[in-house]
Amino acid sequence: MSALSDRLWRHPRLLLALLLVPPLLWLGIIYVGSLVALLLQSFFSIDHFSGMVTRELTLATYAELLRPANIDIMIRTAVMAACVTLAAAIIAFPIALYAARYAKGPWRALFYLGIMMPLWSSYLVKVYAWKLILAKEGILTWIFSGLHLGWLLDGFLALPVVGGNSLSVSPTGTFLVFVYVWLPYMVLPIQAALERVPTSMLDASGDLGAHPAQTFAHVLLPLALPGVVAGSIFTFSLTLGDYIIPQIIGNSRLFIGQAVYQFQGVAGNIPLAAAFAVVPIVIMGIYLTLAKRMGAFDAL
Amino acid sequence: MRSESAPRSLKLAAGLGLAFLHLPILLIFVYAFTSEEKSFAWPPPGLTLKWFAVTWGRADVWAALGLSLKVAAISTLLAMLLGSLCAAAVARTRFFGRETISLLVILPIALPGVVTGIALRSAFSLADIPFSTWTIVLGHATFCVVIVYNNAVARFRRMHGSLTEASMDLGADLFQTLRFVILPNIATALVVGGMLAFALSFDEVIVTTFTAGQQQTLPIWMLEELVRPRERPVTNVVAMVVFVVTLPPILGAWLLTRGTDTVAGHGK
Amino acid sequence: MSAVSFASVSRHYGAVRAVDRVDLAIPEGEFFAMLGPSGSGKTTSLRLIAGFERPTSGSIRIFGEDVGALPPYKRAVNTVFQDYALFPHLNVLDNVAYGLMIKGLSRRARHAQVEAALEMVRLGGYGARKPSELSGGQRQRVALARALVMKPRVLLLDEPLGALDLKLREQMQEELKSLQRELGITFVFVTHDQGEALSMADRVAVFNDGRIMQLGTPEDVYFRPQTPFIADFVGSSNVLPVEMAQPFTGEAHPAALRPEHLQLGAGPLQGNVTGISFLGQSTRVTLETGGTRLTALVPQHHPLPAQGETVALGWAPGALHVMRSA
């Protein structure tokens, strides 16, 4: 043991290698290897008669990917991700602001726990809870009719695009659940960014004659922006890749995640599924590059 | 610390936001006791404990729970090992490619779960690996590494670099230093990382659907019930159980990090 | 035999030469100070002795033994760290007992020695406290006790007083000096504070750019600086450039002149007063003459010039020190 210790002291690179080799082998072989396999698969094609994958490099699958029906899926998913991100940012900001700057003592702990618990508690259970809430016979309908506002809900559901048979099969339902499930991911980075703003800076702004609203607009908001961008990385990425929420709560129109799932599962078309999976990677690549320019990574 | 209190509108918005986060979960607890069998009717027509007994007798639920616990335990151990090794290397030394390694560790959760899932699936299919408990573990450990890594790296950074030097200066070799100085100092971070990794793995469904084959973890079982409901009241009970099982590790992690967080908070 | 000796020791980081061909011999029982600005190589030299760094070339001997291949845990030296490096998870007693525990001493034997060491640094009865419950000065003493309990043949101190306030620092200087005399072990002390080095050390090595500029007694370094850098860094002497000094010294070298030796009112040079600051016991007058900035310390109750006034400058015979190695 001691001899080995001496040897490692004399060769710090050896020590570093010992530390790094197991995780790098794991992530390098299993994860990066899988991603390469994925990319490779996307350049294979499927023989539509036999249903077998032809292991020859081709762009045919990408040609298939860019058909209008599939483009529709991508646009629908990206628009949903953008809406969810925006809504999450609006709801998250006051929570983060209060937790970061006003909550004290036990309230501070409670707020922190109040954000951490929903973040870590079971995703499926949360989705299930919303299935209960949004069901036609569920609590939301009950509340609306209790308030004699049933007509309002029915009117809303009758609208094109956002409406549907009931909330649980409407795009509005999908949107609500997305916002709910990803909200904590937005709160935490904003809170972290806000906590980093020194109080003296806000005092300075007030001292220089700024109205609280002006301080908010010109000092607090710009300083919190990296946090918002960091949070948006989560909400955007998570929405892009999710296939369970739209499957359980929503209509039959597909999102990217569902398309990936269905092409590989039901259709057995792994190449097309792989090509579809490349889409969120590309979108997130562009998004991350932009976010990095805005300094979002410091707030993670 | 600011002495003034928050504007009323902010209090209201923050309170509503928190309520939005928590009320839906409360609903799960009510539905677990409902006597309604066929629909999600609200308010529940009656309350009963019957479905707890029915669920208790269901072999498929027990099997799924068992698999979930097993997968989460193995994945957590693997993630703790790999995550802390990686954190030690990245936090203690400067070397070429350090940033790349951080990125590599974060990638499995930075990319959408469906990408990780389909990537693993296509790798298994290319390499002709049959699905098993181990293919599930492979996926889970991969995205759990980052949880342990993040916690450990933060702790390593807070730990004074000279502590290990002081230990060696006082006669301890590398292994004694690891045992008597490094491990005691990062222990809570590792435990916290492990607890959160456990909660994450226990709950994971997106990647698992691609790596599980015919086996059912508890979340996969629930997903099946959501898509093709058989006995809704049993699902209600399972939902509550899943929530309750993930609660202790989350609370534990919070309790263990609480002290450090308040200290950091006071510094601001 | 020297306690510590360097033979042409270098430590490079890429293109940076942190320590550059240093030769050094520290006799046993000496209180030796390494003085220099940050980045001068003094701390790296100390870390080379401790074994936290390995020399790029050259050899280091501790009591004659080449330690090039010895890890820190096999060297008969112990270190007091700049940030104290107390183990936060252990109480004071276990911190001080750490090295003895590694050595394999029984709990009882450890405790007896630890108690004695804590008494020595006047922290008897503090064993159960956590480092976080101690003041800066107390932590410093614990760090000292933790190193001394190992009975090192050489004690290395890396800016140990840097984090203390002025009063405590002066008190600790006294204590360290008497402790060193009492124990008779070699102290190697790194500091950037020339006052500290001059008041405590038997000999001082002044570092700059990875090399030793001058090595000598505090008096040597203070009164007879060998280069303008030392004249300026150790004791803020005035440096007269060659063309200004040569008429008086007759040698083609710059000369050093201590501020307290520069007299105002009569003399061969003319200076323009650019600043006056009251220091208490004396007043500092800064002057400008022929492009050179000079400082004079005028004792209490002596007449002071006015800002902007031109005054004659002089010095007592022998006050001008020629720096021949510059």
Side-chain angles (χ1 to χ4, degrees):
Chain A
M1 233 22 191
S2 177
L4 179 59
S5 172
D6 292 5
R7 209 181 144 77
L8 290 176
W9 172 80
R10 274 192 284 273
H11 305 282
R13 297 269 135 188
L14 186 65
L15 177 62
L16 186 64
L18 276 183
L19 290 174
L20 277 178
V21 162
L24 281 192
L25 277 183
W26 184 284
L27 290 170
I29 292 181
I30 296 177
Y31 193 65
V32 177
S34 297
L35 286 179
V36 171
L38 174 73
L39 259 180
L40 198 61
Q41 287 272 18
S42 73
F43 288 101
F44 292 161
S45 62
I46 192 155
D47 186 304
H48 282 286
F49 295 103
S50 63
M52 296 296 286
V53 173
T54 318
R55 293 192 177 183
E56 272 168 41
L57 295 184
T58 167
L59 284 173
T61 306
Y62 280 97
E64 203 181 336
L65 175 72
L66 295 176
R67 284 198 305 220
N70 292 340
I71 298 279
D72 254 12
I73 295 178
M74 294 174 209
I75 292 174
R76 182 179 309 122
T77 312
V79 168
M80 176 61 87
C83 292
V84 167
T85 299
L86 194 67
I90 292 170
I91 302 175
F93 203 92
I95 305 179
L97 182 61
Y98 192 89
R101 303 214 71 90
Y102 296 101
K104 291 182 199 75
W107 279 104
R108 199 180 172 78
L110 206 68
F111 250 87
Y112 185 72
L113 202 58
I115 300 158
M116 284 304 280
M117 285 246 306
L119 173 70
W120 285 98
S121 61
S122 171
Y123 160 87
L124 264 186
V125 171
K126 285 183 280 191
V127 177
Y128 186 61
W130 278 90
K131 180 101 183 160
L132 303 175
I133 293 169
L134 298 176
K136 212 176 182 70
E137 69 276 18
I139 190 169
L140 217 53
T141 313
W142 178 75
I143 291 174
F144 270 94
S145 63
L147 295 169
H148 303 290
L149 288 172
W151 55 272
L152 189 64
L153 186 60
D154 291 336
F156 181 80
L157 287 174
L159 292 175
V161 187
V162 294
N165 241 337
S166 82
L167 273 174
S168 70
V169 292
S170 69
T172 310
T174 319
F175 166 79
L176 275 174
V177 181
F178 271 134
V179 173
Y180 174 77
V181 172
W182 309 140
L183 184 60
Y185 293 89
M186 182 61 96
V187 178
L188 288 174
I190 300 181
Q191 189 184 342
L194 285 173
E195 275 178 353
R196 246 173 283 177
V197 179
T199 308
S200 59
M201 203 177 274
L202 305 183
D203 292 341
S205 169
D207 191 58
L208 294 169
H211 195 263
Q214 290 172 314
T215 302
F216 177 82
H218 296 294
V219 182
L220 208 54
L221 204 57
L223 288 171
L225 199 62
V228 178
V229 176
S232 75
I233 294 171
F234 290 113
T235 55
F236 204 85
S237 163
L238 289 165
T239 310
L240 276 188
D242 194 280
Y243 72 91
I244 289 184
I245 291 172
Q247 186 187 359
I248 294 174
I249 293 164
N251 54 27
S252 56
R253 295 213 177 88
L254 295 183
F255 284 77
I256 291 178
Q258 284 169 291
V260 173
Y261 186 68
Q262 291 193 0
F263 281 125
Q264 68 86 31
V266 183
N269 191 344
I270 290 191
L272 187 56
F276 241 117
V278 172
V279 175
I281 301 182
V282 171
I283 297 180
M284 280 321 292
I286 298 169
Y287 200 93
L288 287 175
T289 318
L290 290 177
K292 193 169 179 157
R293 289 226 182 115
M294 296 178 73
F297 292 104
D298 309 328
L300 281 176
Chain B
M1 272 288 163
R2 279 149 76 93
S3 52
E4 74 209 66
S5 64
R8 184 163 299 198
S9 55
L10 176 63
K11 268 187 188 164
L12 189 71
L16 283 178
L18 273 193
F20 174 62
L21 277 174
H22 288 268
L23 289 180
I25 295 175
L26 286 182
L27 218 56
I28 290 290
F29 283 82
V30 179
Y31 271 96
F33 298 94
T34 184
S35 56
E36 169 67 45
E37 294 176 30
K38 291 281 170 278
S39 77
F40 298 128
W42 182 270
L47 298 176
T48 171
L49 283 172
K50 173 184 161 199
W51 296 107
F52 282 86
V54 172
T55 310
W56 186 266
R58 286 277 291 265
D60 57 336
V61 174
W62 281 110
L65 178 67
L67 181 65
S68 273
L69 290 175
K70 182 173 158 193
V71 166
I74 302 173
S75 308
T76 300
L77 286 179
L78 276 169
M80 282 171 83
L81 178 72
L82 298 172
S84 50
L85 283 176
C86 210
V90 168
R92 311 289 302 165
T93 27
R94 250 166 249 286
F95 56 89
F96 181 73
R98 213 173 119 201
E99 303 288 310
T100 317
I101 289 177
S102 301
L103 183 71
L104 186 62
V105 174
I106 292 165
L107 213 55
I109 55 160
L111 287 180
V114 74
V115 174
T116 304
I118 187 78
L120 287 169
R121 172 123 202 179
S122 43
F124 294 153
S125 113
L126 275 184
D128 284 323
I129 299 170
F131 295 111
S132 69
T133 308
W134 294 102
T135 51
I136 307 178
V137 168
L138 225 56
H140 282 210
T142 303
F143 59 72
C144 283
V145 169
V146 63
I147 309 288
V148 179
Y149 170 84
N150 275 347
N151 275 283
V153 129
R155 183 64 59 88
F156 270 122
R157 294 229 163 102
R158 270 212 302 274
M159 193 173 129
H160 279 294
S162 47
L163 287 186
T164 50
E165 288 181 352
S167 168
M168 289 202 275
D169 188 68
L170 294 164
D173 66 25
L174 289 175
F175 301 103
Q176 288 168 319
T177 300
L178 176 69
R179 180 174 156 206
F180 294 119
V181 174
I182 297 176
L183 279 182
N185 272 293
I186 65 159
T188 46
L190 279 189
V191 171
V192 167
M195 283 175 165
L196 295 178
F198 188 93
L200 186 67
S201 165
F202 185 79
D203 178 42
E204 214 290 332
V205 60
I206 294 196
V207 176
T208 318
T209 47
F210 290 93
T211 56
Q214 294 307 308
Q215 297 198 71
Q216 279 192 336
T217 61
L218 204 53
I220 298 274
W221 181 92
M222 257 192 85
L223 184 62
E224 285 291 314
E225 293 296 313
L226 282 176
V227 179
R228 277 176 290 278
R230 283 177 297 173
E231 236 175 334
R232 276 179 175 164
V234 174
T235 315
N236 290 338
V237 171
V238 170
M240 195 189 112
V241 170
V242 168
F243 180 79
V244 171
V245 167
T246 46
L247 211 51
I250 301 164
L251 281 174
W254 172 71
L255 281 172
L256 280 174
T257 47
R258 194 176 43 158
T260 54
D261 274 307
T262 28
V263 170
H266 279 297
K268 275 162 194 140
Chain C
M1 183 173 35
S2 300
V4 177
S5 63
F6 277 34
S8 193
V9 170
S10 296
R11 177 67 173 114
H12 301 171
Y13 301 99
V16 181
R17 297 173 170 202
V19 173
D20 190 16
R21 287 163 291 159
V22 164
D23 290 296
L24 185 65
I26 305 172
E28 188 170 5
E30 188 169 65
F31 199 130
F32 188 84
M34 294 178 170
L35 173 66
S38 63
S40 61
K42 59 186 194 305
T43 299
T44 308
S45 297
L46 193 83
R47 292 171 59 79
L48 284 165
I49 303 173
F52 306 138
E53 306 273 348
R54 302 191 65 201
T56 311
S57 62
S59 83
I60 300 171
R61 287 173 186 277
I62 297 176
F63 288 100
E65 183 190 13
D66 191 324
V67 293
L70 283 189
Y73 47 87
K74 290 191 173 164
R75 299 190 183 193
V77 300
N78 287 105
T79 308
V80 177
F81 289 83
Q82 182 172 15
D83 60 1
Y84 315 138
L86 299 182
F87 304 123
H89 61 295
L90 301 178
N91 63 20
V92 167
L93 191 127
D94 288 332
N95 258 286
V96 180
Y98 185 85
L100 303 175
M101 187 244 337
I102 295 292
K103 258 190 192 168
L105 262 68
S106 75
R107 185 169 284 270
R108 187 178 304 168
R110 291 202 302 255
H111 283 195
Q113 292 190 36
V114 168
E115 280 305 328
L118 284 175
E119 287 295 338
M120 186 167 62
V121 297
R122 297 192 287 110
L123 278 178
Y126 279 75
R129 302 241 189 138
K130 280 276 173 123
S132 56
E133 298 163 355
L134 301 179
S135 71
Q138 289 169 332
R139 283 179 210 185
Q140 214 270 328
R141 289 160 199 269
V142 175
L144 194 60
R146 186 176 68 175
L148 286 175
V149 82
M150 299 301 289
K151 304 204 166 42
R153 298 185 74 183
V154 179
L155 183 71
L156 308 175
L157 302 108
D158 184 11
E159 305 250 7
L161 309 179
L164 304 182
D165 60 49
L166 185 66
K167 229 176 141 163
L168 204 53
R169 198 154 64 214
E170 284 171 353
Q171 183 193 337
M172 280 309 294
Q173 287 177 11
E174 287 304 314
E175 284 185 30
L176 276 179
K177 214 169 149 53
S178 60
L179 203 61
Q180 193 262 343
R181 241 178 275 128
E182 225 171 275
L183 298 170
I185 56 180
T186 313
F187 274 34
V188 181
F189 184 97
V190 159
T191 181
H192 66 272
D193 180 332
Q194 11 85 3
E196 207 164 273
L198 297 180
S199 70
M200 296 168 77
D202 299 323
R203 284 196 309 153
V204 178
V206 186
F207 279 75
N208 194 32
D209 289 334
R211 314 212 55 176
I212 293 181
M213 298 275 109
Q214 184 171 356
L215 199 162
T217 63
E219 291 78 17
D220 274 343
V221 176
Y222 189 75
F223 290 114
R224 292 174 285 283
Q226 285 174 3
T227 67
F229 166 77
I230 295 169
D232 181 51
F233 184 74
V234 186
S236 340
S237 274
N238 294 304
V239 175
L240 275 58
V242 181
E243 57 280 7
M244 195 183 283
Q246 200 166 13
F248 309 108
T249 61
E251 292 186 52
H253 292 291
L257 177 63
R258 300 222 45 80
E260 59 269 31
H261 293 161
L262 183 63
Q263 294 162 359
L264 307 184
L269 292 179
Q270 298 281 306
N272 186 28
V273 177
T274 56
I276 299 175
S277 8
F278 176 66
L279 300 179
Q281 293 183 333
S282 57
T283 302
R284 186 176 60 213
V285 179
T286 47
L287 307 119
E288 200 267 338
T289 172
T292 305
R293 219 180 72 106
L294 299 176
T295 311
L297 283 179
V298 182
Q300 243 173 352
H301 308 307
H302 279 238
L304 287 170
Q307 178 95 20
E309 193 184 326
T310 303
V311 292
L313 304 171
W315 50 84
L320 220 48
H321 170 71
V322 184
M323 295 184 284
R324 292 196 183 88
S325 48

